Amino acid sequence: MKLKTILFITSFAPVIVFKVIARVGDATLAQAKVATVVGLILAGIQFILSARLIKHTTYLEKTFLGFLGFGTVWVYLTPVHVSSLFVDHSTTLLYFALFLATFIPQLFGYDPFTYAIAKQMTPETVWNTPHFRTINLHLTYFWSMIFFVNFFSSWLGHGRPLFSILIPLVIILGIGLPVVKIYPKYYLKRQFSSQPIDPSLIPGTAKELILRMPMGFHPEAAGDLKAEIQFDLSGEGGVKGVLSISEGKCSFLEGQTSSPTLTIHSPAHVWLKIARQEINRAQALMDGLYEVGGDMNLLMKMGDLFRLPTKAKEEDLTQKGGKKMKILAIQGSPRPKTSNTDILLQEFLNGAQSQGAETETVYLKEKEIHSCVGCYTCWAKTPGACVFKDDMPELLEKVKACDILVYATPLYNFNVTALVKAFQERLLPLLDPHLIKTGEAYRHPQRYAVNRKMVLISTCGFPEVSHFDGLRQVFRHLEQNGGVPIVGELLVPGGELLKQQGMQENVQGVLRTAHRAGIEVIKEGRVTKETEMEIQKPLIPPDDLAEMANLWWDGHLEGITQGKPVQGKVEDMRLLLRGMAATFNSQAAGDLKATVQFEVTGKQAGDWFLSIEKGKCTYQEGKASSPDLTIKTPSEVWLAIANKEMDGQQAFMEGKYTATGDMSLLIRMRSLFGAKKSQN
Ligand SMILES: Cc1cc2nc3c(=O)[nH]c(=O)nc-3n(C[C@H](O)[C@H](O)[C@H](O)COP(=O)(O)O)c2cc1C
């Protein structure tokens, strides 16, 4: 236990000892005389200890010392009939002394009664805040009321225990202490109840949050304020940097300043929670979750100085003055109609349409878009108009008119495709050439008022989501430069699986998520972080994908797969069986232990087997020693069944393939393969 707490508890000892001695037996004047002296000595010791050990004393200690000193003088120096009054009414007088101690000091500009006690409970950095003072002032007056009621009760009850001890104790414990606990939180919540925000628009890290603060800067609230706020946000996603406010502008620079107006030291996750309004900024400070130094008033003003993204109203999003929300999707795959990315895009658009949005997909491959030649004619000679009269001028009008601009691009060389790149470069006429500082960097402002948002949809070949890092970074720059917020990112690694036969069970989950994203963007103004995370999960574990991809390429290189790859069709037995192992449904298998042997004849003859054990399925080449089920099939038959060109059951009846061993295993095969999306 802390020394401060011990001294707080012992501060009650002098009056308790006084009351115990004075009450023993008949409470004679002689006993009362001893009691006051003992109490006074104890109160003196308590006072000296506090002053020496923790360098400050509380009003409680002063009150008890004063009360016992006054009582000692009273019982020793006054005539018997007067001094016995103190003995009879000591409790009533004690309540009165406490009432005076809680009522008087602040009237003369001294600290309120609860101040010293509250200081022992809160970090030093908050003591200077105006709110700390106000809360204490309110609580002090509250206590003076309680002590006055207790004084009154004790007085009317002529010192009888019910009125002088029981009722006051009930009031103190039942009302006083709970209010002390609840009131600060209530007060701070009321003072700092900010406008409702959309937490999904808050960036994912504290660093991004701070970097974007200049964009939400509110110059009118700042007036002629000149200040530097030093942030020291530690831990994952943290940053050390300075927000400078001067002449109605705000900018951010990473690093440290020598004399900040306000310094904020906080774990990065705490600051993020504050921004998301999951915890109250002032309350978190009182609770010591973060620390500040310098101008506390500036800290309290921060909610006015910086605006957070507000929750958009549903009706504003689905309809704008009776008009439907317009979504323009720019589809940038060079194979537009067989595109993996398009599968996602169309599902996303379906979701949005279900909420009343109007959608249009522009397949860039079908458009004539000259690449930008950097002549700057659209900036210098014919502002807003490009020299090329291809399909782009019409597209510029569509971009200007839309509410949500969706970029759907496969990942090419860790970026957008050349088609998208050409399109984006040709958006130059929409920008104004001047360099204007917004936040920490210079940018080109928009030539026309912009109220649109952006969504990014992409698929890539590799299995890890990290391959999108570069693309995401590029879009962050586009977001900041154009001031067009990104309200959704649907990134699907291992995108080639989206069309793969045998994966459809898993793919359905991805499509449902894309659909949900479309609904969210209209209903809630953005795709939720949960949906974004969900869709990024690999369809099958990365190692399985890599092995299957290598088999696929080998199938082509070895001539097993003839001609141009047919989208989604499995043409290689090895790939088919490896895919079965990858989509193995461990839940359906339970504790099954079995081996299924494939003896394949025909075009792609060979022996392969699948071993199932401990909820896992492995694919191997060769013959298993004692398989539970053996399937003998020409490769053409089994592949046709997998590609849904032949009915499996009928083929079996017609003797196109045979099965020997555990036939129940054959029946279970449909449920054993086709697992849900893997969790990583
Ligand atoms: C020229 C080219 C470059 C590619 N670059 C990457 C890449 O950098 N990273 C990656 O994971 N996949 C890459 N891929 C694979 C595609 O992103 C992937 O197959 C995607 O799903 C194709 O989408 P689409 O069907 O919509 O065109 C590339 C493919 C091509 C043809």
Side-chain angles (χ1 to χ4, degrees):
M1 209 188 292
K2 278 190 190 158
L3 188 61
K4 282 176 181 177
T5 318
I6 295 171
L7 284 169
F8 175 68
I9 295 168
T10 56
S11 63
F12 292 92
V15 276
I16 293 171
V17 170
F18 158 74
K19 282 302 300 175
V20 169
I21 299 175
R23 278 253 154 217
V24 172
D26 298 322
T28 60
L29 186 58
Q31 273 171 324
K33 283 183 170 177
V34 175
T36 49
V37 173
V38 174
L40 182 62
I41 292 167
L42 287 177
I45 294 171
Q46 168 80 26
F47 193 83
I48 292 164
L49 282 178
S50 286
R52 287 262 163 97
L53 297 178
I54 57 170
K55 305 279 179 266
H56 66 84
T57 54
T58 64
Y59 276 123
L60 212 54
E61 288 165 330
K62 286 175 195 149
T63 309
F64 291 155
L65 184 66
F67 169 75
L68 290 162
F70 180 71
T72 308
V73 172
W74 188 333
V75 292
Y76 278 95
L77 299 186
T78 57
V80 175
H81 67 277
V82 179
S83 55
S84 62
L85 281 176
F86 181 79
V87 182
D88 295 341
H89 299 286
S90 63
T91 312
T92 311
L93 289 169
L94 180 61
Y95 289 131
F96 193 68
L98 286 167
F99 162 69
L100 293 180
T102 47
F103 193 70
I104 305 292
Q106 62 272 16
L107 297 181
F108 294 95
Y110 293 103
D111 287 344
F113 180 82
T114 58
Y115 215 66
I117 300 163
K119 275 182 174 178
Q120 293 177 11
M121 315 289 171
T122 47
E124 200 171 336
T125 47
V126 304
W127 297 352
N128 288 331
T129 59
H131 306 92
F132 182 76
R133 231 192 137 71
T134 311
I135 290 171
N136 275 288
L137 208 59
H138 292 178
L139 284 177
T140 295
Y141 279 123
F142 168 74
W143 276 110
S144 66
M145 215 167 67
I146 286 206
F147 288 132
F148 190 76
V149 171
N150 286 354
F151 155 72
F152 216 65
S153 161
S154 183
W155 185 42
L156 290 179
H158 299 292
R160 271 173 289 157
L162 171 67
F163 296 96
S164 64
I165 295 174
L166 210 65
I167 292 178
L169 260 184
V170 168
I171 293 175
I172 289 171
L173 299 179
I175 303 174
L177 295 186
V179 168
V180 167
K181 198 118 198 83
I182 295 164
Y183 185 73
K185 282 196 175 66
Y186 166 79
Y187 175 86
L188 292 172
K189 214 170 170 181
R190 277 197 53 186
Q191 287 293 312
F192 295 96
S193 64
S194 28
Q195 53 185 2
I197 59 146
D198 182 348
S200 59
L201 292 182
I202 303 285
T205 64
K207 181 175 179 176
E208 272 182 85
L209 179 78
I210 305 293
L211 285 172
R212 288 196 204 176
M213 277 177 80
M215 290 186 187
F217 180 63
H218 191 182
E220 297 91 83
D224 56 2
L225 176 71
K226 192 168 165 28
E228 284 188 319
I229 306 174
Q230 172 78 55
F231 280 94
D232 182 1
L233 305 184
S234 54
E236 209 185 319
V239 66
K240 212 176 236 185
V242 187
L243 274 179
S244 304
I245 301 169
S246 169
E247 295 173 2
K249 292 199 180 100
C250 175
S251 61
F252 178 81
L253 260 186
E254 279 198 41
Q256 263 177 301
T257 177
S258 52
S259 51
T261 324
L262 171 71
T263 310
I264 299 173
H265 301 274
S266 171
H269 71 271
V270 168
W271 201 252
L272 211 52
K273 279 189 175 171
I274 290 171
R276 290 192 185 128
Q277 295 185 358
E278 286 167 18
I279 47 180
N280 183 286
R281 182 162 29 104
Q283 183 65 52
L285 181 66
M286 300 280 175
D287 293 344
L289 296 183
Y290 69 97
E291 287 180 2
V292 289
D295 185 350
M296 299 303 296
N297 289 322
L298 182 56
L299 177 81
M300 296 305 162
K301 233 186 133 187
M302 275 176 70
D304 300 328
L305 290 175
F306 300 96
R307 284 196 201 122
L308 288 163
T310 50
K311 186 136 191 119
K313 284 192 193 121
E314 209 168 285
E315 61 270 29
D316 291 344
L317 289 162
T318 48
Q319 297 212 308
K320 290 199 322 175
K323 268 172 46 215
K324 285 184 168 183
M325 284 283 282
K326 269 195 194 147
I327 300 185
L328 177 69
I330 300 297
Q331 212 277 25
S333 172
R335 43 183 195 183
K337 297 289 155 69
T338 55
S339 150
N340 302 324
T341 317
D342 202 53
I343 297 176
L344 287 182
L345 171 65
Q346 296 312 324
E347 225 18 87
F348 171 82
L349 295 179
N350 283 344
Q353 281 164 11
S354 74
Q355 302 305 306
E358 201 176 79
T359 69
E360 179 182 355
T361 306
V362 173
Y363 292 97
L364 291 180
K365 177 79 176 146
E366 294 165 0
K367 297 285 171 194
E368 191 202 333
I369 299 173
H370 203 292
S371 52
C372 175
V373 290
C375 64
Y376 291 118
T377 303
C378 64
W379 276 4
K381 289 193 186 144
T382 53
C386 179
V387 284
F388 292 117
K389 302 299 169 222
D390 49 13
D391 286 333
M392 203 55 201
E394 189 194 336
L395 291 179
L396 285 183
E397 293 311 311
K398 288 183 193 282
V399 171
K400 279 200 262 177
C402 76
D403 301 300
I404 298 176
L405 180 63
V406 181
Y407 280 105
T409 175
L411 192 71
Y412 270 25
N413 293 19
F414 309 99
N415 205 328
V416 295
T417 61
L419 290 171
V420 176
K421 187 73 172 33
F423 170 84
Q424 287 180 327
E425 286 171 10
R426 291 285 304 280
L427 292 178
L428 204 66
L430 298 184
L431 295 177
D432 180 285
H434 297 97
L435 300 177
I436 304 291
K437 194 158 194 177
T438 324
E440 76 277 18
Y442 283 96
R443 309 175 198 288
H444 294 303
Q446 295 279 352
R447 183 182 298 280
Y448 310 97
V450 168
N451 203 13
R452 63 176 174 272
K453 295 169 179 172
M454 241 192 311
V455 169
L456 169 63
I457 297 179
S458 185
T459 64
C460 78
F462 288 130
E464 298 89 2
V465 76
S466 59
H467 295 281
F468 292 110
D469 287 354
L471 179 75
R472 295 184 67 201
Q473 196 60 28
V474 168
F475 272 79
R476 292 267 161 270
H477 279 289
L478 290 174
E479 175 183 42
Q480 290 186 4
N481 192 52
V484 178
I486 298 171
V487 293
E489 277 180 358
L490 303 185
L491 308 173
V492 175
E496 290 300 342
L497 293 173
L498 288 173
K499 288 192 299 265
Q500 199 66 41
Q501 284 297 346
M503 289 289 157
Q504 290 315 305
E505 188 97 359
N506 297 24
V507 170
Q508 286 312 313
V510 179
L511 299 187
R512 275 195 296 274
T513 314
H515 191 90
R516 188 171 80 216
I519 294 176
E520 286 172 355
V521 90
I522 301 299
K523 274 185 90 173
E524 294 170 32
R526 74 151 295 144
V527 181
T528 60
K529 289 280 166 218
E530 292 73 37
T531 301
E532 289 184 346
M533 299 307 283
E534 176 68 30
I535 210 160
Q536 290 178 9
K537 287 182 189 163
L539 280 154
I540 56 172
D543 291 347
D544 290 359
L545 183 135
E547 216 180 301
M548 283 176 67
N550 291 339
L551 279 171
W552 194 83
W553 291 117
D554 287 343
H556 286 82
L557 293 169
E558 293 164 11
I560 293 165
T561 310
Q562 298 287 326
K564 215 172 148 206
V566 180
Q567 291 294 320
K569 201 169 156 182
V570 202
E571 295 173 85
D572 184 334
M573 273 306 285
R574 297 168 307 178
L575 182 59
L576 172 60
L577 297 175
R578 183 62 188 86
M580 282 169 73
T583 59
F584 174 66
N585 189 337
S586 58
Q587 271 173 342
D591 56 1
L592 176 70
K593 183 173 179 322
T595 304
V596 184
Q597 177 73 53
F598 287 85
E599 291 181 12
V600 182
T601 52
K603 210 169 133 195
Q604 193 188 2
D607 294 312
W608 298 280
F609 62 95
L610 297 173
S611 299
I612 299 166
E613 194 175 356
K614 293 186 182 149
K616 288 215 164 71
C617 179
T618 50
Y619 153 84
Q620 284 171 69
E621 205 159 344
K623 281 206 170 178
S625 53
S626 50
D628 300 273
L629 175 70
T630 304
I631 294 171
K632 290 187 184 171
T633 177
S635 59
E636 300 86 311
V637 169
W638 202 259
L639 286 167
I641 295 171
N643 287 320
K644 299 209 166 81
E645 292 161 0
M646 196 184 277
D647 181 72
Q649 233 169 352
Q650 200 179 339
F652 181 65
M653 297 295 182
E654 291 170 3
K656 290 193 170 142
Y657 72 93
T658 62
T660 49
D662 183 354
M663 294 306 283
S664 67
L665 206 52
L666 182 69
I667 295 165
R668 276 181 82 181
M669 276 181 70
R670 259 188 102 92
S671 63
L672 287 176
F673 302 99
K676 294 274 171 299
K677 207 175 182 187
S678 75
Q679 308 287 312
N680 63 340

